[in-house]
Amino acid sequence: MTESHPHEPSSPESSSHASDHAGPDNAFPAPDLQGFLDAAASDGPAVAVTTATELPDLGPSVRVRTVSGTTATTLAGLYSSFARVWGFPDHFGRNKDAFDDCMRDLDTPDADGRVPDTIVVHITQAHRLLEEDRSGFEWFADSVCFYRDHYRGVGRGFAIVLSTSAPRLAEVRSRWQQAGSPVADLSSE
């Protein structure tokens, strides 16, 4: 049964988590990230911002995929980028309803039958995300809570980690907050 999105308007990335060997200048300590993910799975915000460019290895119970904001400046780019890194099915309809459906299926068992406890979308160059589509950005920002609530309802966590440069950190944080999404700060800025 398809759940409808509550605020539906009318109508180079990586396919896996970052290297386990992230250097101190471009990654943050796993405990900070793990604390955010634990909070996102209960009553905390589902979006965090950081200047780190890579995420540490969080183990097999966390499924992480990275999307570059430079490939997702429009809704069409967002659909294509997410479809590629998350392996959406070939019949993915490339529209908001189909995207919502696919985003609620990110916890399907992998080839080894493992189901993640937590799903993380890492967006690099986050200042570029949907920069050419303001209404698309507002829809996506609102959708994050929809996905988070879906996964909370089945006992899993869902979060978005936004990576950007230090000079753009406040801009990215403000943009998400203006769209109504609380944002955790994982930066040292």
Side-chain angles (χ1 to χ4, degrees), residues 27-39 56-58 186:
F28 47 82
D32 292 347
L33 178 58
Q34 190 59 57
F36 159 69
L37 295 177
D38 291 345
D57 181 12
L58 293 165
L186 296 175

Side-chain angles (χ1 to χ4, degrees), residues 7-182:
H7 299 286
E8 179 71 17
S10 50
S11 280
E13 66 243 19
S14 165
S15 63
S16 65
H17 62 273
S19 165
D20 297 359
H21 307 290
D25 294 339
N26 60 357
F28 47 82
D32 292 347
L33 178 58
Q34 190 59 57
F36 159 69
L37 295 177
D38 291 345
S42 58
D43 61 354
V47 177
V49 65
T50 183
T51 55
T53 57
E54 296 182 12
L55 302 185
D57 181 12
L58 293 165
S61 67
V62 180
R63 187 172 291 167
V64 180
R65 298 294 183 272
T66 299
V67 173
S68 172
T70 62
T71 64
T73 60
T74 64
L75 272 179
L78 179 92
Y79 297 152
S80 294
S81 297
F82 273 68
R84 199 168 25 255
V85 302
W86 285 103
F88 289 0
D90 291 339
H91 64 269
F92 167 53
R94 298 190 188 286
N95 61 58
K96 291 175 182 176
D97 288 335
F99 187 83
D100 284 345
D101 288 343
C102 289
M103 289 298 289
R104 292 189 318 256
D105 285 336
L106 302 179
D107 60 346
T108 57
D110 65 13
D112 296 324
R114 291 181 303 229
V115 176
D117 293 330
T118 305
I119 294 125
V120 178
V121 180
H122 177 220
I123 301 175
T124 60
Q125 298 191 29
H127 57 281
R128 299 285 315 274
L129 180 71
L130 293 166
E131 71 181 350
E132 297 176 30
D133 189 339
R134 182 185 175 109
S135 68
F137 174 78
E138 290 171 357
W139 165 79
F140 181 71
D142 185 55
S143 296
V144 170
C145 292
F146 178 61
Y147 310 141
R148 176 208 57 208
D149 292 347
H150 165 77
Y151 286 108
R152 280 182 183 169
V154 296
R156 303 200 194 310
F158 176 84
I160 303 270
V161 177
L162 305 167
S163 293
T164 193
S165 63
R168 294 193 177 262
L169 193 65
E171 166 193 339
V172 170
R173 184 184 309 113
S174 176
R175 185 175 183 222
W176 280 80
Q177 288 173 334
Q178 287 175 5
S181 290

